[in-house]
Amino acid sequence: MPTTAEPDLDALVEAGRTALAGARDLDELRAAEQAHLSRRSPLGEVQRGLGQLDPEARRELGHRVNQARTELQAVLAGRRSELEAARDRSLLEAERVDVTLPGRRPPRGAVHPLTRAADEIIDIFVGLGYRVFEGPEVETDWYNFEALNFPPGHPARSMQDSLTLLDETRPPGWLVLRTHTSPGQIRAMEAGPPPLYVVVPGRCYRADTPDATHVPVFHQLEILAVDEGLTMGDLKGTLLSFARTYFGAERDIRLRPSYFPFTEPSAEVDVSCFICGGRGGDCRTCKGDRWIEVLGAGMVHPKVLANGGYDPNKVSGFAAGMGIERLFMLRSGLADIRTLTDNDLRWLGSV
Ligand code: DAH
């Protein structure tokens, strides 16, 4: 259909320029391109109508349409590169990493304070020439009691409320959770001939109701030395050396007579108070006593040496047993043993 009215190309270019240059993002720009440059746009329609014009008019209008198109294409290209650059900038901004920021530290685990105390105590004895020997936590009545000179029914057994395990094929109480690390004495002797210098660390179990100073699962360290001619003097010198390393170089120790079935003679060992320096008075740690009980010890009973396969006429030995929790609590001032297993990170992180 021939067009008679002269199209207002200037108005089309002006409208197109406004729409293209004013597009606020690439979607709007595509819509404006569609509206002002596509075949269906007013400019496209003018172009399609060219065929109906006579050659002279076609050439003349065709030229102006091309100019108009070229002009709008330039506006389109300019706006597109602006909008693309803005889009790239905002993408980069969103992904920006500040490599100068400090890294995030993942929480770090640590060795439990009680394990640290045990390691420290073991190290002291390793420094004196002892080696570490470990026994099982489930013991037979023989190793836990009988071989250590606690006969069945002996009243000393009631000093240690044991947790027994059921074994239908055996008499009740045949298997126990070890109540102390002393059965390690027998096992260490069975494992090799004298001389023997071992420490036996480990977990122990007693049917105790938890309170500030008791928990049913706790840790001990056993010391056993067997050699020719060992005396109580060797025991005392060894424990004094231990006490001075663990509690401080000014400490003294004192042995008080006591009773354990597996040692003869037996002693309770006290260390001079490391809070008041042994002055007593109103010291709350030793309660004015100047001494603090830290462990049990003694000369290994001849029957125990024999039960371990050693000849009590040829060798003698000394032994000691200490509670790791107690040693840790004494030195750190911790008042309640249950704190050790509360798993409270505020406390764990502070010691
Ligand atoms: N086994 C004892 C207990 O748990 C501690 C002990 C005392 C161990 C004297 C010893 C020792 O080796 O000589 O009560």
Side-chain angles (χ1 to χ4, degrees):
M1 206 194 340
T3 328
T4 44
E6 178 75 3
D8 187 349
L9 284 181
D10 289 345
L12 292 187
V13 167
E14 196 48 44
R17 176 190 293 282
T18 306
L20 291 166
R24 281 166 303 181
D25 57 38
L26 289 163
D27 284 342
E28 279 189 24
L29 188 65
R30 257 187 301 279
E33 179 185 6
Q34 191 69 25
H36 297 278
L37 280 160
S38 72
R39 277 167 50 85
R40 285 167 204 280
S41 66
L43 191 65
E45 264 163 36
V46 174
Q47 205 161 9
R48 268 187 288 155
L50 287 174
Q52 262 104 75
L53 299 180
D54 58 50
E56 181 68 13
R58 187 194 310 158
R59 194 176 324 111
E60 201 260 336
L61 186 59
H63 180 62
R64 288 173 51 217
V65 167
N66 278 342
Q67 267 185 335
R69 178 172 289 280
T70 309
E71 207 178 321
L72 288 182
Q73 291 287 7
V75 176
L76 171 67
R79 187 62 185 147
R80 179 180 287 139
S81 64
E82 277 172 20
L83 289 173
E84 281 177 352
R87 177 201 57 193
D88 292 350
R89 266 198 310 280
S90 76
L91 283 177
L92 282 176
E93 186 63 31
E95 288 179 4
R96 193 170 69 174
V97 174
D98 182 348
V99 294
T100 66
L101 284 175
R104 285 191 206 103
R105 257 176 224 286
R108 251 216 180 169
V111 178
H112 192 278
L114 194 66
T115 309
R116 284 207 309 268
D119 288 347
E120 185 185 338
I121 296 165
I122 290 169
D123 276 355
I124 295 172
F125 285 97
V126 167
L128 293 173
Y130 288 69
R131 66 194 164 76
V132 176
F133 181 89
E134 286 184 285
E137 291 176 24
V138 175
E139 273 295 9
T140 58
D141 185 89
W142 166 257
Y143 283 104
N144 196 79
F145 291 121
E146 239 189 295
L148 293 166
N149 204 24
F150 291 80
H154 190 283
R157 289 191 177 211
S158 63
M159 284 161 47
Q160 306 184 357
D161 281 327
S162 45
L163 293 158
T164 59
L165 288 146
L166 280 181
D167 177 346
E168 253 100 71
T169 65
R170 305 281 183 169
W174 189 73
L175 280 180
V176 296
L177 292 176
R178 68 175 172 204
T179 57
H180 51 177
T181 45
S182 302
Q185 293 189 24
I186 306 293
R187 292 186 178 273
M189 287 189 276
E190 283 176 347
L196 180 66
Y197 292 86
V198 288
V199 286
V200 187
R203 203 172 284 147
C204 304
Y205 303 82
R206 288 189 200 180
D208 277 330
T209 306
D211 62 25
T213 52
H214 297 85
V215 278
V217 184
F218 57 99
H219 299 78
Q220 284 191 345
L221 183 89
E222 194 80 12
I223 299 147
L224 175 65
V226 186
D227 208 335
E228 284 173 23
L230 288 182
T231 68
M232 203 103 183
D234 298 304
L235 168 64
K236 191 167 181 188
T238 303
L239 294 179
L240 180 61
S241 168
F242 162 71
R244 289 186 171 167
T245 314
Y246 188 76
F247 287 110
E250 310 82 51
R251 303 287 86 86
D252 268 318
I253 61 165
R254 143 181 116 166
L255 272 57
R256 280 181 291 114
S258 184
Y259 173 75
F260 299 102
F262 41 89
T263 43
E264 181 57 36
S266 304
E268 301 284 353
V269 180
D270 300 341
V271 62
S272 55
C273 181
F274 43 87
I275 297 296
C276 64
R279 277 183 297 281
D282 57 1
C283 175
R284 271 187 288 159
T285 301
C286 66
K287 303 194 179 63
D289 200 33
R290 310 204 314 270
W291 296 96
I292 299 172
E293 183 184 323
V294 285
L295 52 89
M299 298 307 290
V300 182
H301 195 291
K303 278 195 192 165
V304 173
L305 290 172
N307 286 337
Y310 287 8
D311 182 349
N313 297 311
K314 291 203 177 120
V315 289
S316 59
F318 62 78
M322 50 186 87
I324 311 277
E325 279 83 352
R326 179 167 171 77
L327 288 173
F328 173 81
M329 289 170 73
L330 279 174
R331 205 178 60 177
S332 65
L334 180 66
D336 191 323
I337 192 170
R338 291 166 295 190
T339 308
L340 291 166
T341 43
D342 278 347
N343 247 357
D344 185 335
L345 289 177
R346 288 167 302 181
W347 181 75
L348 288 169
S350 72
V351 284

mmCIF file of all heavy atoms in Angstrom, residues 274-322:
data_model
loop_
_atom_site.group_PDB
_atom_site.id
_atom_site.type_symbol
_atom_site.label_atom_id
_atom_site.label_comp_id
_atom_site.label_asym_id
_atom_site.label_seq_id
_atom_site.Cartn_x
_atom_site.Cartn_y
_atom_site.Cartn_z
ATOM 1 N N PHE A 274 51.349 -27.315 100.305
ATOM 2 C CA PHE A 274 51.977 -26.435 99.327
ATOM 3 C C PHE A 274 51.256 -25.105 99.233
ATOM 4 O O PHE A 274 51.637 -24.235 98.464
ATOM 5 C CB PHE A 274 52.008 -27.118 97.952
ATOM 6 C CG PHE A 274 50.733 -27.816 97.630
ATOM 7 C CD1 PHE A 274 49.690 -27.138 97.030
ATOM 8 C CD2 PHE A 274 50.559 -29.152 97.974
ATOM 9 C CE1 PHE A 274 48.489 -27.779 96.763
ATOM 10 C CE2 PHE A 274 49.366 -29.802 97.713
ATOM 11 C CZ PHE A 274 48.331 -29.113 97.111
ATOM 12 N N ILE A 275 50.183 -24.943 100.025
ATOM 13 C CA ILE A 275 49.492 -23.641 100.044
ATOM 14 C C ILE A 275 50.081 -22.779 101.155
ATOM 15 O O ILE A 275 50.519 -21.651 100.924
ATOM 16 C CB ILE A 275 47.973 -23.820 100.246
ATOM 17 C CG1 ILE A 275 47.373 -24.587 99.061
ATOM 18 C CG2 ILE A 275 47.281 -22.454 100.423
ATOM 19 C CD1 ILE A 275 47.470 -23.878 97.716
ATOM 20 N N CYS A 276 50.155 -23.331 102.388
ATOM 21 C CA CYS A 276 50.663 -22.523 103.507
ATOM 22 C C CYS A 276 52.153 -22.785 103.706
ATOM 23 O O CYS A 276 52.765 -22.225 104.620
ATOM 24 C CB CYS A 276 49.893 -22.843 104.783
ATOM 25 S SG CYS A 276 50.109 -24.538 105.354
ATOM 26 N N GLY A 277 52.748 -23.621 102.851
ATOM 27 C CA GLY A 277 54.164 -23.924 103.000
ATOM 28 C C GLY A 277 54.447 -24.741 104.256
ATOM 29 O O GLY A 277 55.561 -24.735 104.770
ATOM 30 N N GLY A 278 53.426 -25.438 104.767
ATOM 31 C CA GLY A 278 53.619 -26.294 105.941
ATOM 32 C C GLY A 278 53.522 -25.542 107.257
ATOM 33 O O GLY A 278 53.870 -26.074 108.308
ATOM 34 N N ARG A 279 53.022 -24.291 107.215
ATOM 35 C CA ARG A 279 52.918 -23.535 108.468
ATOM 36 C C ARG A 279 51.620 -23.830 109.216
ATOM 37 O O ARG A 279 51.521 -23.601 110.402
ATOM 38 C CB ARG A 279 53.027 -22.028 108.192
ATOM 39 C CG ARG A 279 54.470 -21.546 108.083
ATOM 40 C CD ARG A 279 54.549 -20.054 107.876
ATOM 41 N NE ARG A 279 53.923 -19.641 106.622
ATOM 42 C CZ ARG A 279 54.513 -19.757 105.421
ATOM 43 N NH1 ARG A 279 55.736 -20.256 105.330
ATOM 44 N NH2 ARG A 279 53.886 -19.390 104.329
ATOM 45 N N GLY A 280 50.613 -24.303 108.499
ATOM 46 C CA GLY A 280 49.358 -24.654 109.173
ATOM 47 C C GLY A 280 48.516 -23.433 109.468
ATOM 48 O O GLY A 280 48.081 -22.744 108.555
ATOM 49 N N GLY A 281 48.301 -23.153 110.771
ATOM 50 C CA GLY A 281 47.486 -21.996 111.161
ATOM 51 C C GLY A 281 46.059 -22.158 110.657
ATOM 52 O O GLY A 281 45.454 -23.208 110.851
ATOM 53 N N ASP A 282 45.559 -21.110 109.947
ATOM 54 C CA ASP A 282 44.178 -21.234 109.475
ATOM 55 C C ASP A 282 44.124 -21.602 107.986
ATOM 56 O O ASP A 282 43.170 -21.282 107.295
ATOM 57 C CB ASP A 282 43.388 -19.946 109.773
ATOM 58 C CG ASP A 282 44.048 -18.724 109.135
ATOM 59 O OD1 ASP A 282 45.086 -18.909 108.456
ATOM 60 O OD2 ASP A 282 43.523 -17.605 109.306
ATOM 61 N N CYS A 283 45.174 -22.289 107.506
ATOM 62 C CA CYS A 283 45.199 -22.692 106.084
ATOM 63 C C CYS A 283 43.989 -23.586 105.790
ATOM 64 O O CYS A 283 43.728 -24.561 106.490
ATOM 65 C CB CYS A 283 46.488 -23.450 105.763
ATOM 66 S SG CYS A 283 46.515 -24.100 104.076
ATOM 67 N N ARG A 284 43.257 -23.230 104.743
ATOM 68 C CA ARG A 284 42.038 -23.989 104.448
ATOM 69 C C ARG A 284 42.331 -25.271 103.676
ATOM 70 O O ARG A 284 41.536 -26.196 103.672
ATOM 71 C CB ARG A 284 41.042 -23.121 103.681
ATOM 72 C CG ARG A 284 40.138 -22.361 104.648
ATOM 73 C CD ARG A 284 39.039 -21.638 103.895
ATOM 74 N NE ARG A 284 39.589 -20.499 103.159
ATOM 75 C CZ ARG A 284 38.992 -19.927 102.124
ATOM 76 N NH1 ARG A 284 37.859 -20.410 101.660
ATOM 77 N NH2 ARG A 284 39.525 -18.875 101.534
ATOM 78 N N THR A 285 43.479 -25.316 102.995
ATOM 79 C CA THR A 285 43.792 -26.501 102.205
ATOM 80 C C THR A 285 44.184 -27.680 103.104
ATOM 81 O O THR A 285 43.676 -28.786 102.940
ATOM 82 C CB THR A 285 44.894 -26.186 101.187
ATOM 83 O OG1 THR A 285 44.437 -25.121 100.349
ATOM 84 C CG2 THR A 285 45.202 -27.389 100.312
ATOM 85 N N CYS A 286 45.068 -27.440 104.073
ATOM 86 C CA CYS A 286 45.456 -28.541 104.978
ATOM 87 C C CYS A 286 44.665 -28.493 106.278
ATOM 88 O O CYS A 286 44.885 -29.309 107.161
ATOM 89 C CB CYS A 286 46.963 -28.498 105.250
ATOM 90 S SG CYS A 286 47.499 -27.032 106.165
ATOM 91 N N LYS A 287 43.757 -27.540 106.371
ATOM 92 C CA LYS A 287 42.928 -27.350 107.584
ATOM 93 C C LYS A 287 43.805 -27.219 108.831
ATOM 94 O O LYS A 287 43.503 -27.767 109.891
ATOM 95 C CB LYS A 287 41.941 -28.498 107.737
ATOM 96 C CG LYS A 287 41.063 -28.631 106.490
ATOM 97 C CD LYS A 287 39.867 -29.528 106.717
ATOM 98 C CE LYS A 287 39.013 -29.593 105.461
ATOM 99 N NZ LYS A 287 39.726 -30.205 104.308
ATOM 100 N N GLY A 288 44.917 -26.536 108.683
ATOM 101 C CA GLY A 288 45.802 -26.288 109.818
ATOM 102 C C GLY A 288 46.686 -27.470 110.164
ATOM 103 O O GLY A 288 47.488 -27.413 111.101
ATOM 104 N N ASP A 289 46.564 -28.535 109.389
ATOM 105 C CA ASP A 289 47.255 -29.785 109.697
ATOM 106 C C ASP A 289 48.715 -29.781 109.225
ATOM 107 O O ASP A 289 49.522 -30.593 109.660
ATOM 108 C CB ASP A 289 46.489 -30.922 109.011
ATOM 109 C CG ASP A 289 46.792 -32.263 109.614
ATOM 110 O OD1 ASP A 289 47.039 -32.314 110.839
ATOM 111 O OD2 ASP A 289 46.818 -33.248 108.852
ATOM 112 N N ARG A 290 49.042 -28.910 108.305
ATOM 113 C CA ARG A 290 50.375 -28.765 107.707
ATOM 114 C C ARG A 290 50.709 -29.888 106.713
ATOM 115 O O ARG A 290 51.646 -29.771 105.932
ATOM 116 C CB ARG A 290 51.484 -28.681 108.766
ATOM 117 C CG ARG A 290 51.171 -27.662 109.845
ATOM 118 C CD ARG A 290 52.397 -27.135 110.532
ATOM 119 N NE ARG A 290 53.349 -28.159 110.910
ATOM 120 C CZ ARG A 290 53.337 -28.788 112.092
ATOM 121 N NH1 ARG A 290 52.436 -28.486 113.003
ATOM 122 N NH2 ARG A 290 54.253 -29.689 112.359
ATOM 123 N N TRP A 291 49.970 -30.983 106.730
ATOM 124 C CA TRP A 291 50.230 -32.111 105.832
ATOM 125 C C TRP A 291 48.978 -32.458 105.054
ATOM 126 O O TRP A 291 47.875 -32.305 105.566
ATOM 127 C CB TRP A 291 50.674 -33.349 106.629
ATOM 128 C CG TRP A 291 51.971 -33.161 107.347
ATOM 129 C CD1 TRP A 291 52.118 -32.792 108.657
ATOM 130 C CD2 TRP A 291 53.281 -33.306 106.806
ATOM 131 N NE1 TRP A 291 53.446 -32.706 108.967
ATOM 132 C CE2 TRP A 291 54.195 -33.023 107.856
ATOM 133 C CE3 TRP A 291 53.792 -33.664 105.549
ATOM 134 C CZ2 TRP A 291 55.579 -33.075 107.687
ATOM 135 C CZ3 TRP A 291 55.161 -33.715 105.375
ATOM 136 C CH2 TRP A 291 56.039 -33.423 106.433
ATOM 137 N N ILE A 292 49.163 -32.934 103.859
ATOM 138 C CA ILE A 292 48.030 -33.350 103.033
ATOM 139 C C ILE A 292 48.283 -34.777 102.549
ATOM 140 O O ILE A 292 49.343 -35.089 101.997
ATOM 141 C CB ILE A 292 47.878 -32.420 101.810
ATOM 142 C CG1 ILE A 292 47.616 -30.995 102.273
ATOM 143 C CG2 ILE A 292 46.757 -32.893 100.892
ATOM 144 C CD1 ILE A 292 47.639 -30.002 101.148
ATOM 145 N N GLU A 293 47.291 -35.641 102.763
ATOM 146 C CA GLU A 293 47.443 -37.037 102.345
ATOM 147 C C GLU A 293 47.349 -37.124 100.820
ATOM 148 O O GLU A 293 46.432 -36.579 100.218
ATOM 149 C CB GLU A 293 46.321 -37.857 102.981
ATOM 150 C CG GLU A 293 46.436 -39.331 102.669
ATOM 151 C CD GLU A 293 45.258 -40.122 103.220
ATOM 152 O OE1 GLU A 293 44.776 -39.785 104.323
ATOM 153 O OE2 GLU A 293 44.821 -41.051 102.523
ATOM 154 N N VAL A 294 48.348 -37.750 100.208
ATOM 155 C CA VAL A 294 48.310 -37.828 98.748
ATOM 156 C C VAL A 294 48.248 -39.240 98.175
ATOM 157 O O VAL A 294 47.722 -39.436 97.083
ATOM 158 C CB VAL A 294 49.487 -37.071 98.070
ATOM 159 C CG1 VAL A 294 49.265 -35.577 98.123
ATOM 160 C CG2 VAL A 294 50.822 -37.454 98.659
ATOM 161 N N LEU A 295 48.762 -40.223 98.865
ATOM 162 C CA LEU A 295 48.738 -41.564 98.258
ATOM 163 C C LEU A 295 49.009 -42.653 99.285
ATOM 164 O O LEU A 295 49.342 -42.366 100.437
ATOM 165 C CB LEU A 295 49.762 -41.642 97.115
ATOM 166 C CG LEU A 295 51.212 -41.227 97.382
ATOM 167 C CD1 LEU A 295 52.046 -42.421 97.863
ATOM 168 C CD2 LEU A 295 51.835 -40.687 96.100
ATOM 169 N N GLY A 296 48.836 -43.906 98.843
ATOM 170 C CA GLY A 296 49.146 -45.055 99.679
ATOM 171 C C GLY A 296 50.368 -45.765 99.124
ATOM 172 O O GLY A 296 50.621 -45.723 97.921
ATOM 173 N N ALA A 297 51.126 -46.403 100.017
ATOM 174 C CA ALA A 297 52.358 -47.051 99.550
ATOM 175 C C ALA A 297 52.791 -48.131 100.544
ATOM 176 O O ALA A 297 52.179 -48.306 101.605
ATOM 177 C CB ALA A 297 53.465 -46.012 99.399
ATOM 178 N N GLY A 298 53.827 -48.845 100.185
ATOM 179 C CA GLY A 298 54.356 -49.845 101.114
ATOM 180 C C GLY A 298 55.355 -50.759 100.431
ATOM 181 O O GLY A 298 55.653 -50.613 99.244
ATOM 182 N N MET A 299 55.876 -51.696 101.233
ATOM 183 C CA MET A 299 56.776 -52.702 100.691
ATOM 184 C C MET A 299 55.919 -53.885 100.229
ATOM 185 O O MET A 299 55.041 -54.351 100.960
ATOM 186 C CB MET A 299 57.770 -53.169 101.772
ATOM 187 C CG MET A 299 58.678 -52.061 102.287
ATOM 188 S SD MET A 299 59.559 -51.166 100.966
ATOM 189 C CE MET A 299 60.713 -52.416 100.389
ATOM 190 N N VAL A 300 56.178 -54.333 99.013
ATOM 191 C CA VAL A 300 55.324 -55.373 98.426
ATOM 192 C C VAL A 300 55.339 -56.625 99.314
ATOM 193 O O VAL A 300 56.402 -57.128 99.707
ATOM 194 C CB VAL A 300 55.785 -55.721 96.989
ATOM 195 C CG1 VAL A 300 54.856 -56.767 96.371
ATOM 196 C CG2 VAL A 300 55.820 -54.470 96.117
ATOM 197 N N HIS A 301 54.153 -57.108 99.641
ATOM 198 C CA HIS A 301 54.002 -58.282 100.505
ATOM 199 C C HIS A 301 54.640 -59.502 99.816
ATOM 200 O O HIS A 301 54.456 -59.690 98.604
ATOM 201 C CB HIS A 301 52.511 -58.532 100.744
ATOM 202 C CG HIS A 301 52.241 -59.469 101.868
ATOM 203 N ND1 HIS A 301 52.532 -60.806 101.824
ATOM 204 C CD2 HIS A 301 51.693 -59.257 103.090
ATOM 205 C CE1 HIS A 301 52.180 -61.386 102.960
ATOM 206 N NE2 HIS A 301 51.664 -60.458 103.753
ATOM 207 N N PRO A 302 55.380 -60.330 100.580
ATOM 208 C CA PRO A 302 56.031 -61.497 99.966
ATOM 209 C C PRO A 302 55.055 -62.396 99.191
ATOM 210 O O PRO A 302 55.411 -62.935 98.130
ATOM 211 C CB PRO A 302 56.618 -62.262 101.161
ATOM 212 C CG PRO A 302 56.731 -61.256 102.249
ATOM 213 C CD PRO A 302 55.699 -60.192 101.997
ATOM 214 N N LYS A 303 53.826 -62.516 99.696
ATOM 215 C CA LYS A 303 52.835 -63.353 98.994
ATOM 216 C C LYS A 303 52.506 -62.769 97.624
ATOM 217 O O LYS A 303 52.223 -63.495 96.673
ATOM 218 C CB LYS A 303 51.531 -63.427 99.802
ATOM 219 C CG LYS A 303 51.542 -64.439 100.901
ATOM 220 C CD LYS A 303 50.096 -64.655 101.332
ATOM 221 C CE LYS A 303 50.053 -65.440 102.638
ATOM 222 N NZ LYS A 303 48.713 -65.356 103.254
ATOM 223 N N VAL A 304 52.524 -61.438 97.542
ATOM 224 C CA VAL A 304 52.203 -60.781 96.264
ATOM 225 C C VAL A 304 53.349 -61.021 95.268
ATOM 226 O O VAL A 304 53.122 -61.328 94.095
ATOM 227 C CB VAL A 304 51.929 -59.275 96.481
ATOM 228 C CG1 VAL A 304 51.765 -58.556 95.151
ATOM 229 C CG2 VAL A 304 50.688 -59.090 97.352
ATOM 230 N N LEU A 305 54.583 -60.917 95.770
ATOM 231 C CA LEU A 305 55.732 -61.211 94.895
ATOM 232 C C LEU A 305 55.620 -62.641 94.376
ATOM 233 O O LEU A 305 55.789 -62.905 93.173
ATOM 234 C CB LEU A 305 57.045 -61.033 95.656
ATOM 235 C CG LEU A 305 57.432 -59.583 96.023
ATOM 236 C CD1 LEU A 305 58.658 -59.588 96.947
ATOM 237 C CD2 LEU A 305 57.715 -58.761 94.767
ATOM 238 N N ALA A 306 55.283 -63.560 95.280
ATOM 239 C CA ALA A 306 55.177 -64.962 94.873
ATOM 240 C C ALA A 306 54.039 -65.151 93.875
ATOM 241 O O ALA A 306 54.183 -65.878 92.879
ATOM 242 C CB ALA A 306 54.966 -65.854 96.102
ATOM 243 N N ASN A 307 52.906 -64.486 94.106
ATOM 244 C CA ASN A 307 51.775 -64.600 93.173
ATOM 245 C C ASN A 307 52.124 -64.051 91.784
ATOM 246 O O ASN A 307 51.538 -64.442 90.779
ATOM 247 C CB ASN A 307 50.541 -63.872 93.713
ATOM 248 C CG ASN A 307 49.891 -64.650 94.850
ATOM 249 O OD1 ASN A 307 50.068 -65.874 94.962
ATOM 250 N ND2 ASN A 307 49.168 -63.952 95.715
ATOM 251 N N GLY A 308 53.073 -63.126 91.731
ATOM 252 C CA GLY A 308 53.518 -62.607 90.443
ATOM 253 C C GLY A 308 54.604 -63.477 89.817
ATOM 254 O O GLY A 308 55.075 -63.183 88.722
ATOM 255 N N GLY A 309 55.024 -64.516 90.534
ATOM 256 C CA GLY A 309 56.027 -65.430 89.993
ATOM 257 C C GLY A 309 57.447 -65.057 90.384
ATOM 258 O O GLY A 309 58.408 -65.599 89.836
ATOM 259 N N TYR A 310 57.615 -64.139 91.318
ATOM 260 C CA TYR A 310 58.949 -63.733 91.765
ATOM 261 C C TYR A 310 59.286 -64.446 93.079
ATOM 262 O O TYR A 310 58.408 -64.836 93.839
ATOM 263 C CB TYR A 310 59.008 -62.209 91.996
ATOM 264 C CG TYR A 310 59.021 -61.372 90.727
ATOM 265 C CD1 TYR A 310 58.817 -61.927 89.465
ATOM 266 C CD2 TYR A 310 59.243 -59.994 90.806
ATOM 267 C CE1 TYR A 310 58.823 -61.132 88.325
ATOM 268 C CE2 TYR A 310 59.242 -59.185 89.671
ATOM 269 C CZ TYR A 310 59.035 -59.770 88.429
ATOM 270 O OH TYR A 310 59.038 -58.991 87.314
ATOM 271 N N ASP A 311 60.583 -64.557 93.360
ATOM 272 C CA ASP A 311 61.023 -65.230 94.584
ATOM 273 C C ASP A 311 61.261 -64.185 95.681
ATOM 274 O O ASP A 311 62.231 -63.420 95.618
ATOM 275 C CB ASP A 311 62.316 -66.001 94.296
ATOM 276 C CG ASP A 311 62.795 -66.777 95.525
ATOM 277 O OD1 ASP A 311 62.246 -66.549 96.638
ATOM 278 O OD2 ASP A 311 63.734 -67.587 95.376
ATOM 279 N N PRO A 312 60.385 -64.158 96.704
ATOM 280 C CA PRO A 312 60.515 -63.131 97.758
ATOM 281 C C PRO A 312 61.806 -63.270 98.570
ATOM 282 O O PRO A 312 62.152 -62.341 99.308
ATOM 283 C CB PRO A 312 59.292 -63.352 98.648
ATOM 284 C CG PRO A 312 58.619 -64.576 98.168
ATOM 285 C CD PRO A 312 59.271 -65.071 96.916
ATOM 286 N N ASN A 313 62.495 -64.400 98.415
ATOM 287 C CA ASN A 313 63.771 -64.522 99.118
ATOM 288 C C ASN A 313 64.910 -63.876 98.331
ATOM 289 O O ASN A 313 65.996 -63.655 98.870
ATOM 290 C CB ASN A 313 64.102 -65.996 99.384
ATOM 291 C CG ASN A 313 63.067 -66.613 100.303
ATOM 292 O OD1 ASN A 313 62.742 -66.029 101.348
ATOM 293 N ND2 ASN A 313 62.520 -67.755 99.917
ATOM 294 N N LYS A 314 64.680 -63.624 97.064
ATOM 295 C CA LYS A 314 65.734 -63.027 96.240
ATOM 296 C C LYS A 314 65.524 -61.535 95.989
ATOM 297 O O LYS A 314 66.477 -60.768 95.896
ATOM 298 C CB LYS A 314 65.785 -63.732 94.871
ATOM 299 C CG LYS A 314 66.292 -65.159 94.969
ATOM 300 C CD LYS A 314 66.851 -65.602 93.619
ATOM 301 C CE LYS A 314 67.429 -67.013 93.694
ATOM 302 N NZ LYS A 314 66.733 -67.922 92.762
ATOM 303 N N VAL A 315 64.254 -61.146 95.848
ATOM 304 C CA VAL A 315 63.992 -59.737 95.528
ATOM 305 C C VAL A 315 63.008 -59.139 96.524
ATOM 306 O O VAL A 315 62.261 -59.856 97.191
ATOM 307 C CB VAL A 315 63.412 -59.568 94.101
ATOM 308 C CG1 VAL A 315 64.455 -59.846 93.030
ATOM 309 C CG2 VAL A 315 62.164 -60.427 93.913
ATOM 310 N N SER A 316 63.053 -57.834 96.619
ATOM 311 C CA SER A 316 62.045 -57.122 97.400
ATOM 312 C C SER A 316 61.546 -55.968 96.541
ATOM 313 O O SER A 316 62.156 -55.616 95.531
ATOM 314 C CB SER A 316 62.645 -56.608 98.709
ATOM 315 O OG SER A 316 63.735 -55.745 98.411
ATOM 316 N N GLY A 317 60.435 -55.388 96.972
ATOM 317 C CA GLY A 317 59.888 -54.318 96.141
ATOM 318 C C GLY A 317 59.086 -53.327 96.945
ATOM 319 O O GLY A 317 58.704 -53.585 98.089
ATOM 320 N N PHE A 318 58.864 -52.189 96.332
ATOM 321 C CA PHE A 318 57.927 -51.233 96.935
ATOM 322 C C PHE A 318 56.883 -50.859 95.904
ATOM 323 O O PHE A 318 57.102 -50.995 94.691
ATOM 324 C CB PHE A 318 58.640 -50.004 97.512
ATOM 325 C CG PHE A 318 59.400 -49.169 96.501
ATOM 326 C CD1 PHE A 318 58.732 -48.279 95.661
ATOM 327 C CD2 PHE A 318 60.798 -49.247 96.429
ATOM 328 C CE1 PHE A 318 59.429 -47.496 94.758
ATOM 329 C CE2 PHE A 318 61.503 -48.466 95.526
ATOM 330 C CZ PHE A 318 60.818 -47.591 94.680
ATOM 331 N N ALA A 319 55.728 -50.414 96.423
ATOM 332 C CA ALA A 319 54.627 -50.048 95.532
ATOM 333 C C ALA A 319 53.943 -48.814 96.088
ATOM 334 O O ALA A 319 54.054 -48.504 97.272
ATOM 335 C CB ALA A 319 53.630 -51.197 95.419
ATOM 336 N N ALA A 320 53.255 -48.125 95.207
ATOM 337 C CA ALA A 320 52.455 -46.985 95.630
ATOM 338 C C ALA A 320 51.289 -46.844 94.668
ATOM 339 O O ALA A 320 51.364 -47.283 93.517
ATOM 340 C CB ALA A 320 53.286 -45.699 95.641
ATOM 341 N N GLY A 321 50.213 -46.253 95.162
ATOM 342 C CA GLY A 321 49.057 -46.029 94.303
ATOM 343 C C GLY A 321 48.517 -44.642 94.564
ATOM 344 O O GLY A 321 48.368 -44.230 95.711
ATOM 345 N N MET A 322 48.271 -43.909 93.486
ATOM 346 C CA MET A 322 47.774 -42.541 93.669
ATOM 347 C C MET A 322 46.584 -42.280 92.763
ATOM 348 O O MET A 322 46.446 -42.878 91.694
ATOM 349 C CB MET A 322 48.890 -41.529 93.407
ATOM 350 C CG MET A 322 49.636 -41.721 92.103
ATOM 351 S SD MET A 322 51.041 -40.591 91.979
ATOM 352 C CE MET A 322 52.332 -41.507 92.779
#
